Amino acid sequence: MRRRFRNERRRWLRSVLTVPFYGALLGWSVVCGGGMKADAQEGELRSTFQSGESLVVLPASASTKPVARSSAAKMTILTDEITSQLRQRKLDQSLLQFQNYTGYQLNLSTGTRHVNEVTGNCRLSWYDALMRNPLTTPAESEGFTRYLFESLKNENGGLDRTMAMARSKMDVPLKTKAGIPFDRESDDPLAFVNAVLERVQQSHSESLAPLTPAELSQLNRELYPLLVSQNDVGYTLANRGRGRKICDMLEKMDRGAIHDAAEVMMPLSDKDFLERLKRIPDDTRVRVEGVSGTVVKRIDTPSGSIVIGGRGPNTYDLDAMSDVNVVIDLGGNDVYREGTVSLDRPVLITLDLDGNDSYVGSKPGIQGAAILGISMLVDLAGNDRYQAKDMAQASCLGGAGILVDHSGDDRYSGFRRVQGQAFAGIGLLLDRDGNDQYHGAMWTQGMGCTLGFGMLADMDGRDHYYTGGHFICSYADDEDNPTPGYEGWGQGVGAGLRSVASGGIGVMLDGGGDDIYEFDYLSHGGGYWLGLGFARDFGGNDQRVGATVKSFSGGRRGEPSFQRFGMGFGCHYAAGFCFDDEGNDTYNGTIMGLGHAWDASIGLLSDFSGDDQYRSNGKTTQGNGSQAGLGILFDYDGDDRYRNHSQGYASSSISYHEMPHCGGNFSFLIDHGGTDGYGSRVRNNSISRRGSNGGFLIDRFSPEVKAKPQTTSNTNTRRRTATTNTTQRNSSRR
């Protein structure tokens, strides 16, 4: 990778010499105890064998279709399979070394300390716990994404539980203030809106209280150019030194107060409450500067002004309404222009109750986004269009940005830091229904940056996601392995900034429908630079295209189609997870993806059902760990096809870390169920070593492959493969 620090790291490692291998860390019990009982007929595995050789062919008695299991039970099977195979190859001690080594590296760079480019500032404790317990991390990540989705399914109160989960993962103390009660049958909904506004204003002031006036002035002046407009690569900042100082300031903020403000707003997005607001009569008329169309009421309060638009079409020039903090529109096809949220107007809440609406603008901090402020946009019904440039559509730089769209076929289009992106705060985009389109260039669609919890959740519909297609990738001048393509950085990615700060938590959830995912480099369920990323699709026949088909502007790509790091990846002390629950899905990529871990990281791709196609066409894909990494691809049930030959391959070469201290590379492709085809030509019902001793390809519970009828006396027994769907010899190689 560009700007590597390999030589300096080697010198430092030689000075350290040893890693503290004594003492089992939390999670070692998973390695030593439990696990799947090995079949007595499998016998002892040989200690020396050729790469790709089939070690064990399971007996025909194992040829039974797996019973229906929950996703949690399937993750238990995965954990048991890994621990069992590690023991049988006598690699459990090596895995413990990998675990201890990663923890030791994290210890060296905690707090204000740093080792080379790895810094300890802004580090999350949940990230730290997951990295120190690699074998329990996959199951915990599955439970985390499932719980979030189950919470969001409730249209009344679901966001409260979601925010409580986010609070627990972001090192934010439990809230001490009770929520504002509201009786949906008797209480005045406008009085409730005013009470919420008052509390949000108060919490916002508390969030900034630890900062001096000079620091606030500097943040207000520098945040956008430093973290957004000056940058054309995703992995770091153009001005790293200044960025580190800015992150130190953001770390001083009262993030508990930010969460308080976000949580107290959540009842405003409940469907029942919005239906109550729709009953407001529109039989009066008032004039409000910045609004064209009917306005039925303006309420001025000590906390700010509330404007209520009528049921006809309105146009709101929100920046011309700088003294207004709440806009409620009762219906009509409306247009909302700009609407920046910053220290000049730190709170803006917009509630639109009906109509096909257009939200347009080019300034940062609009459409449920904020820079050091608190913003919420809720749209109850209609086919809506959200058009912005940078820092928009449920995104934040120091604060909270929330966007909830309940129904309709919607279109979201932006450039950088859009669609559920968070830096030092909360960015949450929730779309409950409709066939929606999401379009962005970089840092998009569930992107959790430093001290940020960024999430995009689309609960239903046939959706199309696109991130990338504009900025030339930072690997174009990689001294070791230059590759073409574009920056991506989206779709459930948690990432820090290299040499600046640790990463946050990025989440992308899709509930159902046949979806299309287009994404360029470092996208779709991945972690980078001490961050955590999660992507999960709960239903539908989905296409993960990999590299974007067209450029960001819609024209022909200027770069060749090439995708690097995608679909369940971890890169540089990070962890990433991609889950798919149902459907016949396709996974496309080029290199370093589909359950790939690079440099003391964890990467997992897990598909729980369906006849799936894994079509990556380059190296180090489909369950690979590299440079002391743990990479896993787990497929449960279905007749699956794996193109290419790198399945579960573990290289013996490690140049970033010293062997044996780092433990080695661990690569797993585990397929349970169905008749599968592998480009590496391994057999169904077999366990094969792939590359070094840490490479596993495990195929279980597959029916016997029947020979095709012979047409001549020289015809061999044949079977289908993942790469050509033609016939080849039933043998195993590589």
Side-chain angles (χ1 to χ4, degrees):
M1 173 173 276
R2 189 176 182 226
R3 298 181 176 88
R4 288 209 173 99
F5 46 90
R6 183 182 304 158
N7 293 334
E8 188 176 352
R9 180 186 285 258
R10 282 177 171 172
R11 289 194 295 270
W12 171 77
L13 284 169
R14 290 191 186 101
S15 67
V16 174
L17 292 180
T18 59
V19 175
F21 297 116
Y22 55 85
L25 298 177
L26 179 62
W28 173 229
S29 59
V30 178
V31 180
C32 295
M36 181 176 291
K37 298 294 184 181
D39 194 306
Q41 299 183 53
E42 292 182 4
E44 289 292 323
L45 301 181
R46 288 172 286 175
S47 58
T48 58
F49 31 74
Q50 296 179 351
S51 171
E53 183 177 351
S54 181
L55 304 180
V56 178
V57 177
L58 303 183
S61 61
S63 303
T64 58
K65 187 176 179 64
V67 298
R69 301 178 189 271
S70 68
S71 56
K74 294 172 185 176
M75 296 307 293
T76 300
I77 291 173
L78 170 64
T79 304
D80 290 347
E81 189 77 86
I82 291 174
T83 56
S84 173
Q85 295 303 319
L86 288 171
R87 284 199 306 271
Q88 291 191 54
R89 288 197 194 171
K90 297 180 174 57
L91 292 176
D92 41 8
Q93 182 64 27
S94 297
L95 192 281
L96 180 59
Q97 289 176 219
F98 167 79
Q99 179 174 311
N100 281 353
Y101 179 83
T102 302
Y104 181 61
Q105 298 296 317
L106 295 177
N107 290 342
L108 289 175
S109 59
T110 55
T112 59
R113 295 179 290 177
H114 62 90
V115 177
N116 296 306
E117 294 181 277
V118 180
T119 59
N121 59 326
C122 306
R123 188 173 298 174
L124 300 175
S125 60
W126 190 48
Y127 155 84
D128 194 84
L130 291 181
M131 294 301 297
R132 293 175 189 269
N133 298 278
L135 290 185
T136 61
T137 291
E140 186 170 349
S141 300
E142 185 279 327
F144 168 68
T145 52
R146 175 166 37 87
Y147 180 89
L148 283 177
F149 183 74
E150 291 298 325
S151 299
L152 290 170
K153 286 167 66 175
N154 186 346
E155 293 185 344
N156 297 299
L159 274 170
D160 293 338
R161 291 187 290 275
T162 300
M163 294 305 299
M165 174 68 91
R167 180 185 285 262
S168 70
K169 303 306 182 186
M170 295 299 298
D171 295 334
V172 175
L174 295 176
K175 62 180 179 181
T176 57
K177 297 179 181 178
I180 301 174
F182 176 70
D183 188 330
R184 290 182 170 85
E185 298 301 324
S186 60
D187 287 354
D188 179 5
L190 291 179
F192 179 73
V193 170
N194 183 48
V196 168
L197 175 61
E198 181 180 3
R199 181 74 69 82
V200 171
Q201 296 276 26
Q202 178 185 354
S203 295
H204 175 261
S205 297
E206 293 171 356
S207 72
L208 301 180
L211 298 168
T212 67
E215 289 172 329
L216 279 174
S217 177
Q218 183 177 347
L219 289 171
N220 193 41
R221 185 174 62 253
E222 295 186 3
L223 269 182
Y224 174 74
L226 189 66
L227 299 180
V228 188
S229 63
Q230 295 176 358
N231 302 283
D232 56 9
V233 298
Y235 75 96
T236 192
L237 300 177
N239 190 334
R240 302 188 192 192
R242 203 68 179 163
R244 175 64 185 266
K245 293 178 181 178
I246 289 294
C247 289
D248 290 343
M249 293 182 197
L250 293 172
E251 203 168 10
K252 292 171 60 178
M253 292 180 66
D254 185 343
R255 292 188 294 120
I258 294 175
H259 280 254
D260 289 344
E263 290 173 20
V264 79
M265 291 191 301
M266 290 307 167
L268 299 180
S269 69
D270 286 359
K271 195 168 186 179
D272 286 352
F273 176 77
L274 297 172
E275 293 292 342
R276 278 291 308 276
L277 282 179
K278 289 180 71 173
R279 303 174 194 169
I280 296 174
D282 63 347
D283 52 0
T284 59
R285 299 291 183 268
V286 300
R287 292 182 60 84
V288 173
E289 184 180 357
V291 184
S292 63
T294 301
V295 178
V296 300
K297 187 175 292 188
R298 176 181 176 127
I299 305 171
D300 295 316
T301 77
S303 302
S305 296
I306 302 172
V307 168
I308 303 172
R311 290 181 170 83
N314 290 333
T315 297
Y316 298 91
D317 288 312
L318 294 171
D319 283 354
M321 307 161 58
S322 58
D323 59 339
V324 175
N325 296 103
V326 179
V327 175
I328 301 172
D329 187 274
L330 301 179
N333 300 331
D334 307 304
V335 177
Y336 297 83
R337 294 176 178 161
E338 303 298 352
T340 55
V341 176
S342 64
L343 292 182
D344 295 328
R345 177 173 53 184
V347 176
L348 178 61
I349 299 170
T350 304
L351 309 175
D352 189 289
L353 306 180
D354 202 1
N356 302 323
D357 307 306
S358 296
Y359 301 86
V360 297
S362 60
K363 297 179 182 179
I366 64 174
Q367 300 170 16
I371 300 177
L372 295 181
I374 310 294
S375 181
M376 179 181 231
L377 191 167
V378 180
D379 192 293
L380 181 59
N383 301 324
D384 308 306
R385 298 293 178 265
Y386 302 86
Q387 177 69 46
K389 188 182 177 184
D390 295 330
M391 266 305 302
Q393 300 162 11
S395 295
C396 75
L397 297 178
I402 314 294
L403 194 164
V404 180
D405 190 297
H406 280 270
S407 66
D409 299 336
D410 308 306
R411 180 176 296 173
Y412 303 84
S413 181
F415 197 52
R416 284 171 297 198
R417 298 202 185 280
V418 294
Q419 300 158 18
Q421 180 275 157
F423 198 113
I426 308 153
L428 193 159
L429 195 166
L430 170 61
D431 191 297
R432 292 199 172 277
D433 200 4
N435 303 323
D436 308 306
Q437 298 180 41
Y438 302 86
H439 198 81
M442 189 168 72
W443 296 322
T444 71
Q445 299 164 16
M447 180 74 192
C449 302
T450 298
L451 294 175
F453 185 91
M455 182 167 76
L456 189 163
D458 190 298
M459 305 303 287
D460 204 0
R462 299 186 303 276
D463 308 307
H464 192 143
Y465 304 90
Y466 177 109
T467 185
H470 182 82
F471 297 104
I472 302 298
C473 75
S474 56
Y475 290 96
D477 58 352
D478 188 334
E479 60 187 28
D480 293 335
N481 186 20
T483 54
Y486 294 106
E487 298 283 285
W489 300 92
Q491 300 184 9
V493 169
L497 294 167
R498 194 162 182 160
S499 299
V500 178
S502 301
I505 298 173
V507 182
M508 182 183 195
L509 305 175
D510 186 281
D514 298 340
D515 307 306
I516 297 174
Y517 300 90
E518 296 183 57
F519 48 91
D520 285 309
Y521 281 44
L522 290 121
S523 296
H524 203 84
Y528 178 85
W529 208 259
L530 297 91
L532 300 172
F534 309 84
R536 186 163 185 171
D537 191 298
F538 288 84
N541 303 320
D542 307 308
Q543 300 178 52
R544 292 170 176 85
V545 177
T548 55
V549 176
K550 295 183 178 181
S551 70
F552 175 80
S553 62
R556 184 177 180 179
R557 284 176 58 105
E559 287 286 295
S561 180
F562 201 95
Q563 205 280 331
R564 181 168 174 167
F565 287 116
M567 294 158 285
F569 69 90
C571 180
H572 298 315
Y573 296 91
F577 309 88
C578 178
F579 301 97
D580 193 292
D581 287 65
E582 297 178 356
N584 303 324
D585 309 304
T586 60
Y587 300 87
N588 296 273
T590 310
I591 63 172
M592 306 169 98
L594 284 71
H596 178 75
W598 179 271
D599 186 19
S601 295
I602 304 167
L604 168 70
L605 168 58
S606 184
D607 190 296
F608 294 129
S609 70
D611 301 334
D612 306 307
Q613 300 278 339
Y614 299 91
R615 298 174 177 171
S616 54
N617 55 19
K619 300 178 181 178
T620 56
T621 59
Q622 303 178 21
N624 302 117
S626 304
Q627 299 297 343
L630 171 61
I632 306 166
L633 194 165
F634 176 50
D635 189 293
Y636 188 89
D637 203 8
D639 297 333
D640 309 305
R641 295 292 176 266
Y642 300 86
R643 180 180 175 180
N644 219 310
H645 58 267
S646 61
Q647 297 95 28
Y649 184 87
S651 172
S652 60
S653 173
I654 297 178
S655 56
Y656 281 26
H657 308 280
E658 293 287 342
M659 284 288 289
H661 307 317
C662 66
N665 292 321
F666 301 91
S667 303
F668 289 88
L669 192 155
I670 302 172
D671 188 297
H672 277 226
T675 303
D676 310 303
Y678 299 94
S680 54
R681 294 187 179 181
V682 301
R683 291 187 248 179
N684 279 246
N685 284 339
S686 68
I687 301 173
S688 300
R689 167 174 157 170
R690 303 283 295 132
S692 71
N693 204 26
F696 297 81
L697 197 162
I698 303 163
D699 186 288
R700 294 189 184 273
F701 305 119
S702 300
E704 289 184 311
V705 180
K706 297 182 179 179
K708 291 187 176 182
Q710 294 186 354
T711 56
T712 68
S713 59
N714 294 324
T715 300
N716 296 305
T717 300
R718 302 173 184 270
R719 67 178 180 86
R720 291 182 297 172
T721 68
T723 54
T724 64
N725 202 30
T726 58
T727 56
Q728 297 192 16
R729 293 181 183 274
N730 191 2
S731 61
S732 180
R733 64 180 175 85
R734 295 183 184 165

